[in-house]
Amino acid sequence: MGLIWTLLVGALIGVIAGVLTKKGGSMGWVANIAAGLIGSYVGQALLGSWGISLAGMALIPSIIGAVIVVVMTSFVLRKTN
C-alpha cells in the first residue's frame, strides 16, 4: 500500500508541476509520476524537508523540484527536436 500511496502523491506533484509550467497537457501519467518522484528528490535535496509531508515527500520543496525537472526536460527535448 505504501508504494501505491507514493506513486499517487508523485503523480499529484507531477500534475501540479505540469499545470504550473503549462506543460501538463503534453505529459502522460507515467511522465507525471516520474516528474513528481524525481522532482521530489531534487527539491528535497536542494531545499530540505520542510512543510507538509505526504508519503515521505515534503510537498512544497517537491513541487518546486518537479517544476525544475519539467522545465529542464522540456528545454532539453525542445533543443533536440
Side-chain angles (χ1 to χ4, degrees):
M1 187 65 178
L3 177 63
I4 294 171
W5 182 244
T6 300
L7 292 175
L8 287 173
V9 172
L12 176 68
I13 291 169
V15 167
I16 292 170
V19 168
L20 290 174
T21 59
K22 301 198 182 6
K23 304 210 182 313
S26 63
M27 294 172 46
W29 281 103
V30 174
N32 279 330
I33 292 171
L37 294 175
I38 295 168
S40 176
Y41 176 77
V42 169
Q44 290 184 50
L46 293 174
L47 302 172
S49 198
W50 50 270
I52 299 171
S53 184
L54 287 175
M57 294 179 262
L59 292 182
I60 303 300
S62 296
I63 292 170
I64 294 169
V67 167
I68 292 169
V69 168
V70 168
V71 168
M72 294 300 290
T73 303
S74 66
F75 178 74
V76 168
L77 291 178
R78 186 172 21 132
K79 289 292 184 182
T80 59
N81 288 333

